[in-house]
Amino acid sequence: MIRVVLTTCFALIALPAAAIDIKEVTSPGGIKAWLVEEHSIPFTALEIRFKGGASLDREDKRGAAHLMSGLLDEGAGELDSTEFASAAEALALKYGFDASSDSFSVSAQFLTENRDASVDLLRKAINEPRFDQPAVDRVRGQVLSIIASEEEDPNDIASKTFAALAYGDHPYATKLEGTAESVTALTREDLIQSHQDLLTRDRVFVGAVGDITAEELGVILDELLGNLPETGPDLPGPAPFLLDGGETIVPYDTPQSVAIFGHEGIERDDPDFFAAYVMNQVLGSGGFGSRLMDEVREKRGLTYGVYSYLVLREHVNLVMGQVSSSNDSVAEAISVIRGEWAKMADEGVTAEELERAKTYLTGAYPLRFDGNARIANILAAMQFDDLPIGYIDSRNDQVEAVTQDDIKSVAKRLLKPENLHFVVVGQPTGLDASN
Amino acid sequence: MRRLIACLLAPAFIVFPALAAEKITTFTLDNGLEAVVLEDHRAPVVVHMLWYKAGAADEAPGVSGVAHFLEHLLFKATEEMEAGEFSAVVEANGGSDNAFTSYDYTAYHQRIAADRLELMMKMEADRMRNIQLTEEDIVTERKVILEERAQRTDSDPGALFSEQRNAAQYLNHPYGIPVIGWRHEMEQLSREDALAFYEKYYAPNAAVLIVAGDVDPDEVKALAETYYGPLEPTVDLPERERPAEPPQLAERRIIFEDPQVAQPYVIRSYTAPERDAGDQETAAALTILAELLGGSGRTSVLGRALQVDSNKAVYTSAFYSGVNYDDTTFGMFMVPAPGLSLQEAEDEMDAVVAQFMQDGIDGAHLERVKSQIRASLIYAQDDVASLGREYGAALTSGLTVQDVQDWPAILDAVTEDDIMNAARMVLGREKAVTGWFRKPLEQEVSQ
C-alpha cells in the first residue's frame, strides 16, 4: 500500500451534494429516528447510538461497558449463546455491538424477508441479555487476551501513556478495555448494571436506511427500545488536560519508534471550527499534498506515514498527531513536525493550499454517502453531535467561507509548538525526555 | 467489543460477488486490456481501478519487494506530470486514491465523483507507460518502504512469525518470499530493478480495468478506447509460470519465540488447491469447510468444542482463500486458554478435527452457511466497489468473469460428501506447516 488510510476519532460529518431525503420519524412510543428510504435493495441498515458509552463505567469497574458489549449476543431471552448465534446465521442477520469512550452503538443489517424475526432477535439482545456465567467467563478470557496483546503493542502503549498523563482522574485517562485486574474483578452484577446504565432512552440516536417505511420503522423502534430505562447516571464532566510541552519516552525494544503528540484543541461549535478544520487539512490530513507528509516522508523519507487531526470528544478537544520512524531518525521527524507546527502558527496557509483544501473537502463530500450502512451511521452521528437535519445544505458553504485570514488567526490561537507533547515508545536516539 | 483476537489473522470470511447480469458489462480492447464495468446509480460516485497481472510472485530472484517498491514509485513523475501531482489532482477533485500490491497483482484505484472518470483514466493511462524516475526518487522512496517494513513487519512479532511460516510453506515457489521484500534485498533495490519490472508488466495486455459506480458502460468503453487504447502492449509478455513446489515429504514445524509475544497460539496451514478457471468445485468445498470448522467462535466445529463446550481455547478459527494464481493454503489456529501448553492446544485442535472427520457434517449448520451465502448476494449489491475488487482480484489470479459469476451457484451446490472429500484431501499434517508462537520458555512462567 502506498499509505495507510487513517481512521480517526474525528467526527465531522460530510454530506452529499445531491440531496438525500432524510425524514424524521417519531414512533408511536415517542422514540425519534432519522430515516432514508431506499427500496432498491431488499434490506435495511440500522444504527442505534447511546451517548455515554464507556465513560459511564462506575468507579473501579473499568472495562464493564466493553465486556458488556461483548455479551449482549452471548445468550438472550430463552436462547443460549450458541442458539442465538445459530439463529442470526439462519436469518443472515448482520449485527455488532460496540462500546467506545463516549457511546455505545448497535449496528444491524437485515433482509426484508427476515425482518420480523431479525428484529425480534435484536430485541432480545438489547433488552434481555442473559449474562450467563460461562459466557461471561469465556468472553472475559478474550478481553484479557486483548489487554495482554495491547500491553506489547507500541501504538497502544503510546496512546495509553498519553491518556494517563493527560487526563488525571477522568475516565479518559484509562483504556476503556480496563486492566487485567479490573476486568478480572468484574461480576455478572456489574455487567447488568452497565447494561442498565448505558442503554437508556433519553440518550439514544437512531439512523435507518433501506427497504423500510416510516411506519414500519416506528414499530421497530418501539419494539427494540421502548422498554429500556428512561434515563441513566450523569455523564462525567469535562476532562482536564494536564500535559505541557516536551517529550516522554517509554523505553521499548523495537526497531522503530512510535510517537503520538498533541495539545488542546477547539470546540465543535466554535465559530472558528471550520477554519481549524481546513487548516488541518493542509497541515496533516495525510494526503500527499499535506505539509507533514510532504516534509517528513516525501522530502526526507523518515516515515511511512505522519498525520495530524482534530480530536473532538464529548469532554475534551485536542489537536493530535502520530508518526512512526526508525529509532535513529525519530528525533529528526519530531523536529520537522515542530517546525511545521510553528510555521503554520506564524504564517497560515497559502492561497493555493487553501483552494486545494477546499476543493478536496467540498468535492469529497458526496462520496461518503454510498451504501446503506454508511448513511445510517452518518444519520446517527449527526443527531449524536446535535447537528440540524438541514446541516446538509450549509456544510459546504461553511468550508467555502473560510479565508486565509481566518486560518492565520485560528492557527495562531490553536497551534502552540511549545505546548506540543510527544509520547515516544521505542529506543529513540537524540531525544531528551523532559518529563 | 472493540477488537477481538480476530485481528491475529485475516478471517475466513466468504465474499460472494453477485450483481444482476444487466449491471455488468465486459469488453476487451485491441491491445489486450480487459475491462469490467459494474453499474450502481444510487450515488454520483465512481471507483476506477487498474489491476496489473503482476505481483510479488512475478519478481525475478534477488529483488524481492520490487513490485511493491514500484507501486510507490508510480506516484512520482511521468512525462506529463510532476512527482506527487497524481494524488494532488485526485484530491483537488475531491477524490481519494491508493494502491496495493499482493503476490498475484498490483492495483491502483481512485474513488471520485462520477463525472471525473475521464481525468482518472487519462492520468492512469499516462503512468502505465511513461514514468520518469530520478535517482533521488529511488533513494528517498527506498527509505520510505524500509520504514514501512519497520512499521508493519519488524515491529510486530506476529508479522515476523507469519513471514517465517510462509517461507516454510513454500520451498521453491515465490509465495514464500514476503510481498514487501526481505530487508537486505530491499536495501539494494535500484532504479533499473524497478524499471525492468515496469517495462515488462505495466502494459495493457497485462492489465484489467474495473470501473464501478454511476457510469454508462458505453461511455466507459469510449473513454477506455481514447486513453488506454493507444498504449502499446508488451509483445513478448511471458506466460505466468512460477517455479513449482516439489512434493512435500516431511511435516514442517516452526517455533517462533519473542519476549514481546503477549498471546501464544498454534497455527497450522496446509497446502491446498486454489480456484481454477472452469474448475472451482474443490475450492468451493474448502471455502465452506473453513466456515464449518472455524467460521464462528460459537457455532463452528472448533469454536463449539474448544471455546463453548470446554474452555480450552480463548479463540479458534479456520481460514481459506481460493483467489490465488497458484496453490494456496487452508489453515486453522487456536489461542489456548491460560494454563494450556501449545502442545496440549495442538493436540486438542487435532482431536476436534479427527472427531469431525469421523462424525461428518451437521446438516443444519451447512444449511445456515448456505442461507448466508444466498443473503450475501443481496448485501453485496450495496457495495459495488467491493464487488469491483472481487473481479479485479479474480481476473488477475487466473479466473474469468464467468468463473466469478458462477461462484455463488457452485458454492450453493456443494454437498456434504464434497466437503468431506476435500477435507480428506487437504488435511494431512505431512502437507502442512505447524507453527508455535510464544515467549521464550523461561519467561513463560504462567504456562
Side-chain angles (χ1 to χ4, degrees):
Chain A
M1 255 190 323
I2 186 77
R3 72 198 137 203
V4 169
V5 177
L6 187 73
T7 47
T8 67
C9 25
F10 179 52
L12 191 83
I13 306 305
L15 293 155
I20 58 167
D21 182 18
I22 305 175
K23 278 184 228 163
E24 183 168 271
V25 174
T26 305
S27 75
I31 297 167
K32 286 195 164 59
W34 287 4
L35 165 68
V36 173
E37 290 191 44
E38 163 51 61
H39 295 283
S40 69
I41 307 175
F43 84 98
T44 299
L46 193 61
E47 180 75 16
I48 301 170
R49 210 168 281 189
F50 299 91
K51 194 162 274 193
S55 76
L56 293 175
D57 277 346
R58 298 200 165 204
E59 202 171 344
D60 299 328
K61 306 295 181 191
R62 197 58 169 155
H66 178 250
L67 181 57
M68 184 271 287
S69 75
L71 279 157
L72 295 191
D73 65 334
E74 290 273 354
E78 75 286 6
L79 304 175
D80 71 18
S81 172
T82 297
E83 288 164 346
F84 187 98
S86 298
E89 287 171 10
L91 295 168
L93 164 65
K94 304 205 274 187
Y95 65 88
F97 303 103
D98 184 44
S100 69
S101 59
D102 289 315
S103 72
F104 182 90
S105 62
V106 180
S107 315
Q109 296 177 53
F110 45 81
L111 302 180
T112 302
E113 60 184 292
N114 293 338
R115 185 197 291 154
D116 292 349
S118 297
V119 168
D120 191 50
L121 204 56
L122 286 170
R123 178 190 61 75
K124 289 189 175 99
I126 292 170
N127 291 272
E128 303 167 15
R130 290 170 30 159
F131 300 115
D132 293 335
Q133 197 61 47
V136 170
D137 292 336
R138 180 160 42 81
V139 176
R140 188 204 316 269
Q142 294 170 352
V143 171
L144 291 172
S145 172
I146 292 169
I147 291 171
S149 299
E150 290 184 346
E151 280 169 4
E152 300 288 358
D153 182 318
N155 288 295
D156 285 309
I157 296 169
S159 60
K160 186 169 111 178
T161 306
F162 189 94
L165 294 171
Y167 300 127
D169 293 334
H170 198 274
Y172 287 170
T174 55
K175 303 204 71 150
L176 66 90
E177 290 87 347
T179 62
E181 195 188 0
S182 73
V183 171
T184 303
L186 291 172
T187 64
R188 181 171 184 273
E189 286 64 40
D190 295 332
L191 299 170
I192 292 170
Q193 184 70 56
S194 175
H195 175 252
Q196 277 181 10
D197 287 349
L198 266 67
L199 279 70
T200 63
R201 288 174 52 182
D202 60 337
R203 295 193 181 127
V204 70
F205 304 94
V206 183
V209 180
D211 185 22
I212 192 166
T213 65
E215 201 172 22
E216 290 164 338
L217 178 61
V219 173
I220 287 175
L221 292 173
D222 285 346
E223 194 177 343
L224 291 178
L225 307 172
N227 289 321
L228 291 174
E230 177 53 38
T231 189
D234 291 342
L235 298 176
F241 186 78
L242 305 175
L243 275 169
D244 294 325
E247 283 111 27
T248 299
I249 296 171
V250 184
Y252 193 70
D253 184 11
T254 171
Q256 190 186 51
S257 293
V258 171
I260 68 168
F261 48 95
H263 60 40
E264 286 180 274
I266 186 166
E267 296 275 348
R268 176 71 182 77
D269 53 10
D270 190 291
D272 287 331
F273 173 78
F274 274 95
Y277 178 56
V278 177
M279 181 274 294
N280 183 68
Q281 176 67 24
V282 176
L283 177 64
S285 62
F288 284 132
S290 75
R291 290 184 182 180
L292 291 179
M293 201 71 156
D294 201 40
E295 294 295 328
V296 185
R297 172 172 158 162
E298 292 305 293
K299 287 193 185 149
R300 296 180 177 83
L302 301 176
T303 188
Y304 176 52
V306 55
Y307 313 93
S308 65
Y309 37 89
L310 305 182
V311 174
L312 303 169
R313 293 167 73 175
E314 221 31 50
H315 310 296
V316 79
N317 301 295
L318 302 182
V319 189
M320 287 191 74
Q322 62 188 70
V323 67
S324 299
S325 186
S326 291
N327 285 322
D328 60 2
S329 58
V330 69
E332 185 185 353
I334 287 174
S335 150
V336 173
I337 292 166
R338 279 195 198 284
E340 289 306 313
W341 223 259
K343 186 178 166 205
M344 180 66 85
D346 289 344
E347 301 170 14
V349 299
T350 67
E352 192 202 335
E353 283 173 324
L354 176 61
E355 195 48 44
R356 220 168 53 198
K358 282 185 187 174
T359 42
Y360 171 71
L361 292 171
T362 54
Y365 165 80
L367 305 191
R368 305 193 189 180
F369 279 69
D370 68 333
N372 293 356
R374 285 173 66 123
I375 300 173
N377 222 315
I378 291 169
L379 297 184
M382 282 175 68
Q383 298 169 79
F384 192 94
D385 290 343
D386 204 20
L387 297 173
I389 209 164
Y391 178 78
I392 290 174
D393 300 324
S394 69
R395 186 269 189 189
N396 266 1
D397 295 343
Q398 288 178 275
V399 171
E400 290 290 359
V402 172
T403 66
Q404 262 180 290
D405 284 345
D406 294 339
I407 290 184
K408 197 164 176 179
S409 92
V410 80
K412 188 153 208 69
R413 173 186 146 203
L414 195 58
L415 299 179
K416 306 280 182 194
E418 68 282 7
N419 289 354
L420 207 50
H421 194 98
F422 287 76
V423 171
V424 185
V425 177
Q427 297 177 311
T429 54
L431 271 185
D432 293 323
S434 60
N435 201 323
Chain B
M1 276 192 303
R2 166 144 288 199
R3 181 152 45 118
L4 269 176
I5 290 181
C7 41
L8 274 177
L9 282 175
F13 291 144
I14 320 177
V15 183
F16 306 98
L19 201 61
E22 68 273 15
K23 291 182 178 169
I24 300 180
T25 311
T26 61
F27 58 86
T28 303
L29 300 185
D30 291 343
N31 59 12
L33 181 88
E34 294 173 65
V36 179
V37 182
L38 307 164
E39 286 176 74
D40 176 7
H41 300 287
R42 292 179 301 157
V45 181
V46 67
V47 173
H48 171 257
M49 295 187 271
L50 196 69
W51 294 65
Y52 292 101
K53 295 178 184 177
D58 299 296
E59 294 164 348
V63 291
S64 62
V66 74
H68 169 257
F69 187 35
L70 178 62
E71 177 218 301
H72 279 235
L73 295 171
L74 243 69
F75 291 83
K76 302 297 182 189
T78 70
E79 287 168 13
E80 305 289 321
M81 305 190 79
E82 291 171 23
E85 195 180 344
F86 192 107
S87 295
V89 170
V90 175
E91 279 197 16
N93 284 277
S96 57
D97 70 326
N98 213 329
F100 49 88
T101 307
S102 184
Y103 281 112
D104 296 320
Y105 49 76
T106 310
Y108 299 82
H109 59 97
Q110 304 89 35
R111 191 163 168 277
I112 200 156
D115 60 4
R116 315 292 159 88
L117 176 63
E118 178 169 6
L119 181 59
M120 298 302 107
M121 275 203 197
K122 184 178 173 198
M123 294 198 299
E124 197 65 78
D126 173 45
R127 68 177 172 176
M128 184 189 290
R129 283 309 215 182
N130 293 326
I131 57 167
Q132 303 282 308
L133 298 177
T134 67
E135 204 50 48
E136 198 193 336
D137 292 333
I138 298 295
V139 172
T140 312
E141 204 60 29
R142 201 166 50 206
K143 285 167 78 178
V144 171
I145 58 169
L146 287 165
E147 288 291 346
E148 182 177 356
R149 190 186 152 92
Q151 183 175 332
R152 300 169 65 160
T153 306
D154 299 330
S155 300
D156 179 356
L160 290 169
F161 175 48
S162 166
E163 205 170 73
Q164 294 292 307
R165 288 191 299 107
N166 250 335
Q169 193 91 42
Y170 298 98
L171 295 184
N172 198 44
H173 191 283
Y175 286 165
I177 300 169
V179 170
I180 195 159
W182 298 117
R183 176 171 281 270
H184 67 283
E185 292 186 349
M186 294 167 70
E187 285 167 345
Q188 305 297 325
L189 289 174
S190 68
R191 181 170 175 273
E192 290 66 39
D193 296 331
L195 288 175
F197 195 88
Y198 178 70
E199 281 156 14
K200 184 167 172 185
Y201 292 115
Y202 280 52
N205 53 331
V208 177
L209 170 69
I210 309 279
V211 178
D214 185 19
V215 291
D216 170 56
D218 292 333
E219 284 173 25
V220 173
K221 188 172 183 197
L223 290 172
E225 275 167 350
T226 303
Y227 294 104
Y228 291 112
L231 299 173
E232 288 297 321
T234 295
V235 282
D236 49 356
L237 191 69
E239 279 292 304
R240 291 177 96 184
E241 272 197 42
R242 287 81 169 258
E245 281 294 291
Q248 181 169 348
L249 302 179
E251 183 185 0
R252 296 172 199 160
R253 301 187 66 85
I254 285 194
I255 300 178
F256 189 99
E257 296 184 337
D258 188 301
Q260 292 173 5
V261 170
Q263 178 62 72
Y265 59 89
V266 55
I267 178 165
R268 162 109 35 81
S269 48
Y270 308 83
T271 303
E274 79 286 9
R275 287 167 62 182
D276 283 320
D279 178 11
Q280 305 187 85
E281 284 73 11
T282 305
L286 290 170
T287 301
I288 293 183
L289 175 65
E291 199 60 29
L292 293 173
L293 272 184
S296 148
R298 291 183 287 154
T299 63
S300 72
V301 171
L302 288 168
R304 285 191 76 152
L306 298 171
Q307 292 177 247
V308 179
D309 294 344
S310 71
N311 289 315
K312 289 171 178 158
V314 173
Y315 191 73
T316 59
S317 189
F319 54 91
Y320 171 76
S321 167
V323 179
N324 246 39
Y325 193 77
D326 294 314
D327 272 357
T328 182
T329 56
F330 182 99
M332 58 187 77
F333 70 96
M334 169 169 170
V335 179
L340 212 64
S341 73
L342 289 176
Q343 183 62 60
E344 287 166 324
E346 185 179 338
D347 292 345
E348 293 290 347
M349 193 167 76
D350 282 343
V352 171
V353 174
Q355 191 66 45
F356 168 78
M357 297 306 290
Q358 242 177 43
D359 296 349
I361 289 163
D362 169 5
H365 190 187
L366 178 58
E367 196 39 55
R368 291 199 307 273
V369 170
K370 289 195 176 177
S371 63
Q372 291 178 285
I373 292 169
R374 290 187 280 267
S376 69
L377 304 184
I378 295 173
Y379 289 128
Q381 295 171 48
D382 197 36
D383 189 355
V384 290
S386 297
L387 210 50
R389 283 192 290 278
E390 290 294 314
Y391 273 95
L395 299 187
T396 50
S397 301
L399 298 170
T400 65
V401 170
Q402 191 63 48
D403 291 322
V404 177
Q405 291 176 345
D406 290 345
W407 180 240
I410 292 173
L411 283 169
D412 200 46
V414 166
T415 66
E416 293 186 20
D417 281 349
D418 296 337
I419 297 166
M420 296 311 289
N421 286 337
R424 276 188 285 272
M425 180 179 80
V426 167
L427 303 180
R429 244 165 68 169
E430 72 286 356
K431 284 181 288 189
V433 176
T434 305
W436 289 7
F437 183 61
R438 67 183 183 198
K439 278 191 198 300
L441 272 189
E442 61 272 21
Q443 297 195 27
E444 208 176 5
V445 283
S446 64
Q447 296 263 322

